[in-house]
């Protein structure tokens, strides 16, 4: 997360300046400092977000089980409960993800502030992510190369939605603007981020948090 934040900031600062990206070593050093400075905040946001998402998924199912125990009502209750659980899990999961973004992006974040600022952005953020997935998947379906290009060029869209308040196609268009003329540099740094985020997952128990 910290690496992606630093990469996004570099794109904003250098937008319109072709080929201007921070060196990978500097990117990693800055991101590691940010991660160390906000380690406990990241722990708190991640833990609370995971707990809320899990509760949102399990409570409707538990309620359906109770209803079935008291007065069996057939499969319709379970279908409705599953739909509610899925919707709640996706919404709360998006809220937690935005709060984690906010923990990395905000100048002076607090645990309560991350979640408070994130709640009003859930709908717009979810819409941007959905558009991103549909457009990139369409690119891969047509030909591999367009999907790869769009996957990289539009990668800033979720950050833009959160940091700049743009939604939908406007966030995607701004991401294209930031990456224009510098796609290869961005692709290389995103690949580095992917590798560095995946490696810590090999560490038992806490690797997933370090990778975030």
């Amino acid at each position: 997360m910290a690496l992606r934040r630093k990469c996004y900031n570099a794109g904003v600062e250098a937008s319109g300046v072709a080929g201007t990206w921070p060196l990978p070593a500097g990117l990693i050093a800055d991101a590691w400092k940010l991660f160390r400075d906000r380690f406990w905040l990241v722990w708190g946001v991640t833990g609370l977000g995971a707990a809320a998402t899990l509760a949102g998924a399990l409570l409707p199912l538990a309620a359906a089980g109770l209803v079935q125990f008291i007065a069996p009502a057939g499969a319709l209750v379970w279908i409705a409960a599953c739909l509610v659980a899925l919707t709640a899990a996706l919404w709360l999961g998006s809220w937690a993800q935005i709060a984690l973004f906010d923990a990395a992006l905000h100048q002076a974040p607090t645990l309560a502030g991350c979640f408070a600022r994130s709640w009003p952005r859930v709908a717009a953020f979810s819409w941007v992510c959905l558009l991103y997935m549909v457009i990139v998947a369409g690119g891969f379906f047509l030909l591999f190369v367009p999907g790869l290009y769009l996957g990289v060029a539009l990668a800033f869209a979720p950050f833009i939605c959160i940091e700049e308040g743009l939604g939908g196609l406007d966030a995607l268009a701004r991401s294209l603007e930031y990456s224009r003329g510098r796609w290869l540099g961005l692709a290389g740094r995103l690949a580095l981020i992917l590798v560095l985020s995946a490696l810590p997952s090999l560490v038992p128990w806490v690797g997933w948090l370090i990778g975030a």
Side-chain angles (χ1 to χ4, degrees), residues 104-137:
L105 290 168
H106 200 270
Q107 293 299 318
T110 62
L111 184 61
C114 287
F115 283 101
R117 285 187 296 271
S118 300
W119 181 256
R121 305 171 181 173
V122 175
F125 175 81
S126 300
W127 177 235
V128 168
C129 290
L130 179 62
L131 287 175
Y132 174 85
M133 289 187 291
V134 169
I135 292 172
V136 173

Side-chain angles (χ1 to χ4, degrees), residues 6 9 16 19 50-52 56 59 65-66 72 80 104 106 120 144 152-153 161 182 197 211:
K6 289 295 181 180
N9 284 350
L59 286 177
L66 182 61
H106 200 270
F144 181 81
V152 172
C161 177
R182 299 175 294 150
S197 299

Side-chain angles (χ1 to χ4, degrees), residues 38-54:
R38 303 186 180 185
F39 179 79
W40 292 112
L41 176 65
V42 171
W43 263 111
V45 171
T46 303
L48 285 177
T53 302
L54 186 61

Side-chain angles (χ1 to χ4, degrees), residues 21 27 30 36 43 46 61 81 86 91 112 139 146 167 170 185 197 199:
W21 286 109
L27 189 67
D30 289 345
R36 283 185 296 136
W43 263 111
T46 303
L61 299 178
L86 179 62
W91 188 271
D170 291 334
S197 299
L199 287 177

